[in-house]
Amino acid sequence: MKIQVNGSKAGDKENGCALCGATWGDYYEEIDGEKLFFCCDVCATEFKNMIEEIKRRTGWKKIDELSIEGNYYKGRNCVAKTEGREYKFYVKFGDDAEIETFKEIE
Ligand SMILES: [Zn+2]
């Protein structure tokens, strides 16, 4: 999965957390058969919840590209892509890494 967070490559130790872009921490989680880097387990859980929600709503089996703009407080505007298709949404997480708001963007 190609991941961009606020305009920069993310998802490995060198580039930063797959959700927030932070380079501190040392947490890995396997998602869609790929080992992704996260700053902490909270970001990893939020990311997993988001991926599951995208798949549930689109019926996609996997996601090739994901672009994330925003942060925890404002929420995040995202674009997911797979096989030439595009899915835009807004997501905001709650205190327990659960999805608080999820809106599809036209
Ligand atoms: Zn993070």
Side-chain angles (χ1 to χ4, degrees):
M1 198 188 310
K2 256 178 67 182
I3 301 164
Q4 281 225 322
V5 175
N6 294 322
S8 306
K9 188 182 183 306
D12 55 43
K13 178 73 183 162
E14 201 189 329
N15 293 294
C17 173
L19 186 75
C20 73
T23 49
W24 58 271
D26 189 24
Y27 191 88
Y28 289 86
E29 186 90 36
E30 198 173 306
I31 290 162
D32 279 350
E34 227 179 302
K35 205 174 154 196
L36 295 179
F37 169 78
F38 295 94
C39 63
C40 63
D41 63 322
V42 176
C43 273
T45 305
E46 290 177 348
F47 191 89
K48 273 193 295 185
N49 288 343
M50 180 172 75
I51 294 293
E52 274 168 29
E53 189 66 15
I54 298 166
K55 287 180 174 174
R56 196 177 68 78
R57 288 174 180 247
T58 59
W60 295 353
K61 298 238 176 332
K62 70 186 280 287
I63 294 153
D64 294 333
E65 276 184 60
L66 188 62
S67 147
I68 303 167
E69 300 272 342
N71 59 42
Y72 177 81
Y73 302 99
K74 287 192 297 187
R76 295 170 165 100
N77 285 303
C78 310
V79 183
K81 289 182 188 170
T82 200
E83 292 164 0
R85 284 178 292 174
E86 207 177 71
Y87 182 71
K88 292 183 184 174
F89 61 95
Y90 167 87
V91 65
K92 193 171 191 300
F93 300 100
D95 291 341
D96 297 312
E98 83 283 10
I99 291 174
E100 192 180 272
T101 311
F102 192 103
K103 278 189 294 204
E104 291 175 26
I105 301 170
E106 295 300 313

